[in-house]
Amino acid sequence: MELKGKHIVLGISGGIAAYKSVHLLRLFVKAGAEVQVVITPNGKEFITPVTLSSLSRRPVISEFFTANTGEWHSHVDLGLWADAFVVAPATASTIGKMANGIADNMLLTSYFSTRGKVFAAPAMDLDMWLHRATQRNLATLRADGVEIIEPEAGELASGLVGKGRMEEPERIFEVVAAALASPRQLKGRRYLVTAGPTYENIDPVRFIGNYSSGKMGYALARALGEAGAEVVLVSGPVSLPTPEGDIRRIDVTSAREMLAACEMHFPECDGAICCAAVADYAPAVCAEKKVKREKLDRITLELVKNPDISATLGAMKKPGQTLVGFALETDSEMENALGKMKRKNLDWIALNSLRDKGAGFRTDTNKITLLSAGGGTTEYPLMSKEEVARLMIEEIFISK
Ligand code: CTP
């Protein structure tokens, strides 16, 4: 991927994985990017600034001042210069400081001044990774818009085996390059995205729902927005903020409401991604008053089938419109996903297997296999939902 003319700040904090950052730096430089390395004082214990400045062809910045000349390094200028700020490795300490506004070195002051996209590739021991404080800080960073490039599981420097190994430089490069290489390529296009669960009312205070958090659909809306598209986000009940960008959010509760909003907006869109976990069945009647417990030892709910929103859009689809769905499967995954794609007249389907750890509901990560009606199959590794979304948008709407 070409990164000619792109400005990247590579932030290196003090961890063993710092040696891998040399390779990452080379990949950025080879792709044509200008790279400024900012290293924490601890980082220099793991990798020498001489190596980094030779490869980046720029002096490495570490301190606020150059000791012999008194020259002050402006983190504000650096923040404005950067199209992307990539912290790799991001130690537990640096992550904690980024999440909590502590700016006690150049890497951190530069981070707080950065207007471009920020990526962090954590590297630490497995217990540090799993610690509640680390996970809390990561959640804060994600909410702040930082893209976390998840570490891998494997043998760690401590000799322990588990999650915490920094992602390989090639993958980090791909994620950053995909984000930088495709800005605003979907300008003038409009897409519909359904997200979240639906709630089907039983009575005024109870409903049938599911555990969908809406994160995958919201990440897709964000990725489309970042690529310059206009997005109509039809959302079931979730507790997520609307992503930034040209995104019009329509809140709905039930499958029928979701269908009505989709039928209204799909005709004016270039495509739709059906990511919502729509309840397949709804109570045949919704009681007008709260169902009282004392009166009934046993109750039977009669359920009726909900409309299939993706199939309805599949039937409405006009030439030039692209329709994408998801398939959540527990067995015969491929066969079922291909069957769904055909039945619903979809152009693409993203297969989630519940057998994969870290995929599906209530996680920040996902693992998908993307199938196209044309016969293509792309299997992605476990990634953050933001990364999955960006790669899906790239594959489906940009590179095709
Ligand atoms: N979907 C939809 N409307 C429904 C049910 C599903 O739009 N009433 C969409 C989902 O958003 C997803 C796709 O259809 O894109 C597949 O959803 P999934 O739950 O995997 O499959 P179902 O069609 O519900 O089939 P089953 O539950 O039998 O696997």
Side-chain angles (χ1 to χ4, degrees):
M1 271 186 264
E2 186 54 35
L3 288 178
K4 213 168 163 46
K6 298 289 177 198
H7 296 165
I8 297 175
V9 173
L10 176 60
I12 301 180
S13 58
I16 304 275
Y19 78 90
K20 289 195 198 168
S21 304
V22 175
H23 185 42
L24 179 60
L25 168 57
R26 290 195 59 202
L27 292 173
F28 285 142
V29 170
K30 252 172 76 183
E34 284 182 53
V35 186
Q36 174 63 60
V37 176
V38 183
I39 191 163
T40 63
N42 276 340
K44 287 191 286 189
E45 303 290 332
F46 293 90
I47 179 94
T48 78
V50 178
T51 311
L52 299 164
S53 61
S54 321
L55 292 172
S56 63
R57 296 179 211 111
R58 283 166 173 269
V60 169
I61 299 176
S62 183
E63 320 297 335
F64 292 113
F65 300 95
T66 303
N68 51 352
T69 62
E71 185 197 349
W72 180 64
H73 298 129
S74 167
H75 54 88
V76 176
D77 289 350
L78 206 54
L80 294 178
W81 178 83
D83 295 307
F85 189 103
V86 184
V87 188
T91 58
S93 164
T94 292
I95 287 168
K97 289 177 181 179
M98 287 166 73
N100 291 286
I102 299 168
D104 65 355
N105 63 41
M106 259 313 272
L107 186 154
L108 292 160
T109 48
S110 306
Y111 163 64
F112 291 116
S113 307
T114 295
R115 295 196 183 166
K117 177 91 190 137
V118 181
F119 302 83
M124 64 196 74
D125 225 2
L126 79 162
D127 293 309
M128 289 178 89
W129 169 257
L130 291 174
H131 199 282
R132 282 197 295 273
T134 308
Q135 292 302 321
R136 202 166 52 233
N137 289 333
L138 287 166
T140 304
L141 287 186
R142 285 193 184 99
D144 290 346
V146 174
E147 184 157 342
I148 306 298
I149 303 174
E150 295 273 320
E152 294 179 303
E155 194 172 327
L156 303 167
S158 60
L160 296 173
V161 177
K163 193 165 176 177
R165 230 171 57 176
M166 188 173 90
E167 179 56 282
E168 290 307 322
E170 284 79 6
R171 281 277 322 130
I172 300 177
F173 171 81
E174 265 179 36
V175 171
V176 176
L180 287 180
S182 57
R184 326 227 64 82
Q185 295 197 22
L186 296 179
K187 207 156 175 47
R189 306 268 189 92
R190 186 186 294 146
Y191 296 96
L192 177 78
V193 177
T194 70
T198 63
Y199 287 177
E200 312 298 331
N201 286 344
I202 297 170
D203 69 15
V205 295
R206 302 183 181 93
F207 59 85
I208 295 176
N210 60 66
Y211 287 125
S212 168
S213 62
K215 283 178 184 163
M216 191 64 236
Y218 274 57
L220 285 161
R222 178 182 302 130
L224 283 165
E226 278 173 4
E230 198 184 318
V231 182
V232 181
L233 174 60
V234 181
S235 173
V238 297
S239 52
L240 294 171
T242 308
E244 277 181 31
D246 195 354
I247 295 172
R248 175 163 166 223
R249 171 168 166 180
I250 301 172
D251 285 314
V252 297
T253 305
S254 66
R256 288 188 179 276
E257 285 172 25
M258 188 173 272
L259 175 69
C262 290
E263 283 178 321
M264 180 185 287
H265 293 284
F266 185 57
E268 72 220 23
C269 289
D270 296 286
I273 308 180
C274 295
C275 190
V278 185
D280 287 333
Y281 292 87
V285 284
C286 170
E288 257 175 53
K289 292 191 182 138
K290 190 179 169 206
V291 180
K292 298 300 276 181
R293 179 160 60 105
E294 303 89 73
K295 295 193 192 142
L296 306 159
D297 283 338
R298 177 187 289 241
I299 60 166
T300 305
L301 271 181
E302 193 193 345
L303 301 177
V304 291
K305 207 172 197 171
N306 264 336
D308 187 322
I309 298 168
S310 53
T312 309
L313 300 186
M316 287 168 70
K317 192 172 71 176
K318 295 264 171 348
Q321 284 183 310
T322 305
L323 187 56
V324 186
F326 276 74
L328 186 63
E329 305 294 342
T330 53
D331 55 275
S332 310
E333 287 95 336
M334 276 288 190
E335 201 185 317
N336 285 340
L338 289 170
K340 263 178 207 175
M341 177 154 61
K342 204 155 179 223
R343 218 167 38 245
K344 299 178 186 225
N345 194 24
L346 308 175
D347 302 289
W348 296 80
I349 197 156
L351 164 63
N352 274 139
S353 168
L354 274 189
R355 282 198 265 193
D356 287 324
K357 262 192 148 174
F361 285 8
R362 293 204 288 184
T363 64
D364 288 327
T365 53
N366 206 356
K367 187 172 183 312
I368 63 155
T369 303
L370 191 58
L371 309 171
S372 82
T377 304
T378 316
E379 207 179 321
Y380 295 100
L382 184 71
M383 292 186 278
S384 71
K385 286 184 173 169
E386 277 71 29
E387 286 174 62
V388 174
R390 193 167 297 123
L391 292 173
M392 275 181 70
I393 299 307
E394 173 77 30
E395 172 86 15
I396 297 172
F397 299 116
I398 297 176
S399 68
K400 295 289 147 187

